[in-house]
């Protein structure tokens, strides 16, 4: 009966399911911590000034964000524009210099795109957290159902037994 119905001892099944549920809980905690970190850094990076630039650098260097090829490409583009701006300013370009105005505009647009890409990454984390929550709910319901599945298993050997002559 147990192999036909794929029912195993309720204790063994519950123990395995509880272990999986513990792993799911741990993964959810990791994802949630990662999301909170990125949200905090994103909020700091959205402010203006030097602190925002530093926060943006910390944000894009975070392992989960840095692995995103869109973010990496935008960040490389941003640093390239910043290098051009620094060269122009070092050469004595006035704030009204058309080249400096153009590069500042590109820096601003690229920063906006970069922040948008990070927001997308955070949304992806939210979706992964939701998937983990679904797994957690599934595992909890399976643990709750385990004792009910064991009852027929306990009765089955008596019903399948053949009388000996």
């Amino acid at each position: 009966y147990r192999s036909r119905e794929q029912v195993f001892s309720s204790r063994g099944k519950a123990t395995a399911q509880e272990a999986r549920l513990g792993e799911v809980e741990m993964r959810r905690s990791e994802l949630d911590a990662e999301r909170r970190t990125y949200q905090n850094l994103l909020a700091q990076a959205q402010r203006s000034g030097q602190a925002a630039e530093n926060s943006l650098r910390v944000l894009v260097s975070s392992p989960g964000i840095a692995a995103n090829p869109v973010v990496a490409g935008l960040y490389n583009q941003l640093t390239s524009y910043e290098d051009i701006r620094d060269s122009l300013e070092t050469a004595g370009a006035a704030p009204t210099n058309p080249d400096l105005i153009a590069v500042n505009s590109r820096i601003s647009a690229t920063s906006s795109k970069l922040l948008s890409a990070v927001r997308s990454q955070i949304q992806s984390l939210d979706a992964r957290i939701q998937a983990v929550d679904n797994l957690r709910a599934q595992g909890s319901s399976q643990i709750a159902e385990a004792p009910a599945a064991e009852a027929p298993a306990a009765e089955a050997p008596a019903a399948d037994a053949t009388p000996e002559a």
Side-chain angles (χ1 to χ4, degrees):
Y1 173 82
R2 288 180 191 263
S3 62
R4 180 182 66 215
E5 296 296 320
Q6 294 185 350
V7 174
F8 304 95
S9 112
S10 62
R11 275 179 276 180
K13 187 174 181 180
T15 300
Q17 288 171 336
E18 287 170 355
R20 280 192 298 268
L21 193 56
E23 292 169 7
V24 167
E25 289 287 342
M26 187 170 36
R27 182 64 184 141
R28 197 221 188 272
S29 294
E30 291 169 355
L31 289 171
D32 191 48
E34 187 176 354
R35 179 177 46 93
R36 281 193 317 269
T37 299
Y38 296 158
Q39 284 176 328
N40 290 337
L41 289 170
L42 179 62
Q44 291 172 8
Q46 290 173 326
R47 298 184 185 113
S48 60
Q50 186 64 33
E53 287 183 28
N54 290 339
S55 294
L56 184 60
R57 292 182 201 304
V58 170
L59 179 62
V60 298
S61 66
S62 301
I65 299 291
N68 183 322
V70 172
V71 170
L74 286 169
Y75 185 68
N76 287 337
Q77 190 175 38
L78 178 65
T79 57
S80 173
Y81 292 147
E82 289 172 340
D83 289 345
I84 293 169
R85 179 190 61 198
D86 292 345
S87 294
L88 288 169
E89 288 175 343
T90 301
T96 56
N97 180 306
D99 291 337
L100 188 57
I101 291 171
V103 80
N104 281 331
S105 176
R106 288 186 185 122
I107 288 171
S108 178
T110 305
S111 292
S112 293
K113 288 177 185 177
L114 184 58
L115 292 173
S116 180
V118 170
R119 280 187 214 97
S120 293
Q121 182 85 13
I122 291 170
Q123 288 173 342
S124 172
L125 277 172
D126 288 338
R128 290 169 59 196
I129 288 169
Q130 183 60 48
V132 168
D133 286 345
N134 292 341
L135 283 173
R136 181 173 55 179
Q138 234 177 4
S140 294
S141 69
Q142 287 176 350
I143 289 172
E145 293 170 3
E150 183 66 19
E155 297 169 8
D160 289 344
T162 56
E164 292 186 24

